[in-house]
Amino acid sequence: MLPPQRRWIREQPVSSVTSCVRRRLCIRRPYLLALLIIFIVCIAIQTFVAYRTGHDKLKGLQHLTVNKQNLFTSLQNFLEGLNPEAGKQDLKSLQKNRTSNLHHRKSPDDILSRQVDGNVHPDTGPQMEARTVHHGDLLLSEPYPNPENRRSLGLSRFFVPQSTRTSLSAETNQRLMNTPTPSRYLQAYTESTCQPKIHIVFLKTHKTASSTILNILYRYGERRNLTFALPVKKHMQLFYPNFFAERFVEGVQSQSMKEFHIMCNHMRFRKSEVAKVMPEDTFYFSILRHPVAMMESLYTYYKSIAVFRKTFNLDNFLDNSLTNYMSAVSSNHYAHNTLAFDFGLNNNITSYADDLEERASMAIAAIKQDFHLVLISEYFDESLILLKHSLCWSLEDVVSFKLNSRSDRSRQPLPPSTAEKIKRWNALDWRIYLHFNNTFWYTLKSLIGEEQLTREVNTLRALRAKLANVCLKDGGAVDPSQLKDHKLKPYQSGKAVIQGYNLNPLTDIQTKHKCMRLITPELQYTKLLYNKQFPDLHG
């Protein structure tokens, strides 16, 4: 049997277009393969950059950045070398889209620094939206620099990486949330774009050199006719230790004041109420002090409160604090985690609490959420330089004399054993201080830099010395018994001997006025501003 006859089907002729495409694809196959490899590499680099950027935000490192425009320019040049015409238009369109995306991408942690004639002029702009706080881990080692040894250290020590430092003690070698990162609101701009801030809230903490900061804000506002959110009925504090409320500010309920620029008197912080008084673009900052030195000062200054009055000395109080301290007793908040209390946090926790680390993490996160900047009292001049940049002010605006400070004869040196007791008793304050001390130095290094910081600190000190030579009769502070003008005598409390200043005999009215404001104590200056701002209530 013969096999079936095979049927032949004639193929359709290949069109000229198809034939051309096939020939060009075959000829340019190596080029297309190279292009595919290049795009895969670009995607891999972009993915790596995105991963490292997100990772670095948690670790407090400087962000890894890639100049994407140069990357795509190099890619375009390479393709043009393969084919001057093919793919050029598509790549330009791609580069344009990528650049547009970069311009619209915002990073709240971005710090833009630029030097103009040796000076950095930062401006934080309007208050940015609150951002979710990511809880990481920080191994608590010695704050840099060590506040207890600050006078023996050179400035170069301040910028030694944290990993090279020894830990404070086994007790403090614990984990805490969030590595130190520069404040997400501190951004440096050129002189032409930097605008001085006039809406300011300063949380005035206790025994932290905050009276000197208050004097700086008072003088700045008075010179520019700014309005202060002063306590009602001529009170000296915003009804501390109660949580702040809108009605505590003079002029709010009567609606006699349309706008407030500066709030800086003692209060127990509550952001929701403060925001009812102050504008949305307000800059919030505060200041901390080493809890050991702060506790010694609190004990001396508030020796008359019940929990301190019954004790012989600070050691005696600390040894019996668990039995003698009762949080419900009036003014006892001065004896336990006072920093946390001032920030509106629960201060009744000790080092023995099982949830200490968790509550410390929450406390730090809350402060970071509400405050753009936290200064450190032990490094006051460096703090003033950072404040100057943050507010876009001048050195003349932040120069000051130390106010409400004690005489050395009312200071008590503490042995290491007492210091350790204070760290355990004020465990929450201690952890808050450790975190923000690290953040402070990291921010200084990132925003200003070591060389410029040294230069500006020296200039500030020279300006202060010049003013002291002009204004002060004895060149510095004197005990209250030696004051010539008793109207300039600062308030005395407990066993503390609070010093004041005598003025040189000055004939120039403007110079005398400036010098007088520099040394006016807190209570007298507050009363002066109250009478000036509310003349109808004077009397």
Side-chain angles (χ1 to χ4, degrees):
M1 186 173 182
L2 296 174
Q5 188 176 0
R6 202 168 177 183
R7 185 178 181 182
W8 295 91
I9 300 176
R10 184 178 179 182
E11 293 182 358
Q12 296 294 326
V14 178
S15 66
S16 60
V17 175
T18 306
S19 176
C20 179
V21 170
R22 287 181 178 179
R23 286 197 303 273
R24 292 182 68 84
L25 287 176
C26 291
I27 293 172
R28 301 191 181 280
R29 183 175 299 170
Y31 299 152
L32 293 175
L33 181 60
L35 179 63
L36 179 61
I37 293 173
I38 291 171
F39 272 103
I40 291 174
V41 171
C42 291
I43 293 173
I45 292 175
Q46 178 69 17
T47 303
F48 177 72
V49 170
Y51 168 78
R52 286 300 302 272
T53 301
H55 180 70
D56 289 351
K57 286 182 180 180
L58 292 178
K59 294 298 182 184
L61 303 175
Q62 292 184 350
H63 297 170
L64 172 66
T65 58
V66 175
N67 191 327
K68 300 180 179 62
Q69 187 168 353
N70 291 341
L71 175 65
F72 281 91
T73 301
S74 301
L75 177 60
Q76 182 176 353
N77 293 337
F78 178 80
L79 291 175
E80 288 177 358
L82 297 176
N83 187 346
E85 299 297 331
K88 191 171 184 179
Q89 188 67 30
D90 291 340
L91 189 58
K92 284 185 177 181
S93 176
L94 177 61
Q95 183 179 359
K96 181 178 180 180
N97 291 338
R98 299 287 295 217
T99 304
S100 176
N101 289 338
L102 288 175
H103 288 166
H104 287 85
R105 184 182 301 165
K106 297 180 180 179
S107 174
D109 285 328
D110 213 12
I111 295 186
L112 308 173
S113 299
R114 182 175 179 181
Q115 289 194 351
V116 181
D117 296 330
N119 292 316
V120 175
H121 301 273
D123 185 18
T124 64
Q127 182 177 349
M128 302 174 68
E129 292 184 1
R131 153 173 89 99
T132 303
V133 178
H134 299 279
H135 290 226
D137 290 323
L138 169 64
L139 190 63
L140 286 183
S141 61
E142 178 177 327
Y144 47 113
N146 180 359
E148 297 164 1
N149 300 325
R150 63 187 184 277
R151 294 177 181 174
S152 63
L153 300 177
L155 188 61
S156 59
R157 167 75 185 268
F158 293 175
F159 297 100
V160 175
Q162 183 183 355
S163 59
T164 66
R165 304 177 187 278
T166 57
S167 61
L168 280 172
S169 65
E171 178 205 358
T172 61
N173 192 19
Q174 302 173 10
R175 293 191 175 275
L176 192 61
M177 59 82 64
N178 288 342
T179 57
T181 55
S183 170
R184 60 190 182 275
Y185 300 96
L186 299 182
Q187 295 179 331
Y189 296 98
T190 62
E191 185 174 7
S192 59
T193 60
C194 182
Q195 298 297 323
K197 288 179 172 51
I198 59 173
H199 293 140
I200 300 166
V201 166
F202 171 57
L203 178 60
K204 190 176 186 298
T205 49
H206 287 81
K207 315 315 299 175
T208 58
S210 60
S211 293
T212 305
I213 299 289
L214 178 114
N215 179 269
I216 291 172
L217 296 173
Y218 273 178
R219 287 185 288 113
Y220 185 90
E222 185 187 15
R223 288 195 305 270
R224 290 159 179 80
N225 292 319
L226 303 181
T227 56
F228 292 88
L230 299 172
V232 297
K233 299 180 180 179
K234 297 186 178 182
H235 283 271
M236 294 296 109
Q237 300 179 350
L238 290 163
F239 288 83
Y240 183 91
N242 298 303
F243 276 107
F244 175 80
E246 178 187 16
R247 66 181 184 276
F248 295 164
V249 176
E250 188 69 78
V252 168
Q253 291 187 327
S254 64
Q255 297 182 351
S256 59
M257 304 301 298
K258 295 181 179 180
E259 179 184 21
F260 293 100
H261 296 98
I262 299 175
M263 179 185 292
C264 55
N265 297 95
H266 276 304
M267 65 173 163
R268 191 176 187 196
F269 188 72
R270 176 176 280 175
K271 177 65 177 292
S272 59
E273 289 293 310
V274 174
K276 294 178 181 179
V277 179
M278 301 301 294
E280 291 184 3
D281 65 344
T282 296
F283 184 88
Y284 290 76
F285 79 101
S286 188
I287 187 168
L288 307 181
R289 185 181 181 183
H290 195 298
V292 172
M294 181 178 172
M295 186 65 183
E296 185 273 329
S297 181
L298 286 166
Y299 183 84
T300 304
Y301 195 84
Y302 295 105
K303 188 63 172 69
S304 59
I305 68 174
V307 72
F308 288 159
R309 189 171 58 245
K310 63 178 68 174
T311 60
F312 303 110
N313 53 39
L314 184 53
D315 267 308
N316 181 237
F317 162 75
L318 294 168
D319 291 338
N320 300 280
S321 56
L322 292 177
T323 55
N324 290 341
Y325 175 82
M326 292 183 290
S327 60
V329 177
S330 176
S331 298
N332 273 11
H333 57 275
Y334 291 119
H336 196 202
N337 288 315
T338 307
L339 285 175
F341 185 89
D342 289 352
F343 278 96
L345 307 171
N346 185 352
N347 63 315
N348 292 311
I349 186 171
T350 65
S351 60
Y352 307 105
D354 294 334
D355 60 345
L356 171 62
E357 301 304 328
E358 179 183 359
R359 290 175 64 175
S361 297
M362 293 174 63
I364 291 169
I367 295 172
K368 291 176 64 177
Q369 191 80 6
D370 292 335
F371 289 84
H372 304 137
L373 179 65
V374 177
L375 306 178
I376 301 297
S377 174
E378 279 72 26
Y379 313 103
F380 194 72
D381 288 343
E382 290 83 0
S383 292
L384 291 183
I385 298 302
L386 185 55
L387 182 64
K388 161 191 171 285
H389 283 275
S390 304
L391 298 178
C392 194
W393 288 5
S394 67
L395 279 176
E396 290 74 15
D397 293 327
V398 299
V399 69
S400 57
F401 296 143
K402 188 185 298 184
L403 295 178
N404 204 37
S405 65
R406 289 179 295 157
S407 169
D408 288 339
R409 61 188 177 91
S410 64
R411 299 176 186 270
Q412 299 296 324
L414 301 178
S417 58
T418 305
E420 291 304 316
K421 292 178 186 178
I422 294 172
K423 293 174 189 176
R424 288 194 295 270
W425 174 242
N426 291 328
L428 183 56
D429 276 4
W430 179 230
R431 282 153 178 76
I432 291 172
Y433 176 84
L434 284 174
H435 175 85
F436 285 103
N437 185 43
N438 285 342
T439 303
F440 173 79
W441 289 105
Y442 188 86
T443 304
L444 270 177
K445 179 180 178 181
S446 302
L447 183 66
I448 301 175
E450 180 178 358
E451 291 184 4
Q452 184 169 339
L453 176 63
T454 302
R455 185 168 57 250
E456 293 197 37
V457 165
N458 290 337
T459 304
L460 176 66
R461 289 171 178 170
L463 180 58
R464 181 185 297 128
K466 180 180 178 180
L467 284 172
N469 185 57
V470 172
C471 299
L472 306 181
K473 183 176 182 181
D474 302 301
V478 298
D479 284 355
S481 60
Q482 298 176 322
L483 291 174
K484 306 300 182 183
D485 187 352
H486 291 284
K487 294 180 180 178
L488 296 176
K489 181 180 179 180
Y491 177 74
Q492 306 293 310
S493 176
K495 290 188 175 181
V497 179
I498 307 301
Q499 296 183 310
Y501 297 93
N502 288 318
L503 277 182
N504 273 328
L506 299 168
T507 56
D508 183 75
I509 297 178
Q510 290 185 345
T511 303
K512 184 176 182 179
H513 177 82
K514 180 178 181 179
C515 292
M516 181 69 74
R517 291 295 188 264
L518 278 164
I519 67 170
T520 300
E522 176 182 342
L523 301 187
Q524 290 89 318
Y525 210 153
T526 302
K527 183 178 180 180
L528 184 151
L529 291 176
Y530 191 100
N531 294 335
K532 184 176 180 179
Q533 192 165 300
F534 303 102
D536 294 340
L537 301 178
H538 177 62

